[in-house]
Amino acid sequence: MCLFCDIVEGKIPSTKVFENDKVLAFKDINPATPVHVLIVPKKHFDDILDMASSEEGKEALGDVLDAVPEVVKATGIDEGFRIINNCREFGGQTVKHVHFHILGGVKLSEKMI
Ligand code: 5GP
Ligand code: ZN
């Protein structure tokens, strides 16, 4: 069982920001910034290293990239934003379906952490 697969399949509700046949973007349940969206490929990959290990994964990464301007348009964060991918235990990844945090809606610190 995978939480984000369940969200993609609609078994668990989410607030959708953008969707096409390859990716889903939805609001984070515990937002860190005024705009906090998660972009996930609909196909399950555990993490970004998993994506990088196949042609299918690399294509899916391109699909995620295509969704970025759509999320920007939908949320009005064209003044700027930050994309974060937490990878594996030491990277702080808690949900093991690869996802990209889009953080914005406020001027973020120039310090990353
Ligand atoms: P990670 O720590 O794995 O990079 O990020 C997981 C993110 O998923 C967290 O920011 C957390 O708030 C979010 N999250 C966890 N469970 C749910 C959920 O059921 N729905 C939504 N929309 N976000 C969730
Ligand atoms: Zn999954």
Side-chain angles (χ1 to χ4, degrees):
M1 119 115 220
C2 166
L3 178 64
F4 287 174
C5 280
D6 283 352
I7 286 180
V8 164
E9 288 165 26
K11 292 181 193 157
I12 293 175
S14 68
T15 305
K16 291 179 188 177
V17 173
F18 172 75
E19 182 173 20
N20 63 19
D21 57 333
K22 304 285 189 194
V23 302
L24 175 66
F26 56 98
K27 289 188 182 175
D28 195 292
I29 205 167
N30 184 24
T33 47
V35 173
H36 187 170
V37 174
L38 302 174
I39 304 179
V40 303
K42 288 192 168 179
K43 184 176 165 47
H44 181 100
F45 296 91
D46 289 345
D47 55 43
I48 199 160
L49 291 172
D50 186 21
M51 286 188 108
S53 69
S54 68
E55 287 308 315
E56 201 181 16
K58 286 188 243 185
E59 235 175 74
L61 189 57
D63 296 329
V64 168
L65 185 60
D66 287 340
V68 172
E70 302 293 344
V71 170
V72 170
K73 208 186 311 168
T75 57
I77 55 168
D78 48 296
E79 281 179 286
F81 54 91
R82 182 168 295 158
I83 300 179
I84 293 177
N85 169 253
N86 296 327
C87 183
R88 299 189 175 170
E89 188 186 350
F90 275 27
Q93 182 180 3
T94 60
V95 179
K96 303 208 169 20
H97 179 132
V98 72
H99 52 280
F100 298 85
H101 297 256
I102 309 286
L103 298 164
V106 69
K107 171 113 174 58
L108 296 167
S109 163
E110 287 164 17
K111 290 185 182 158
M112 281 230 288
I113 51 172

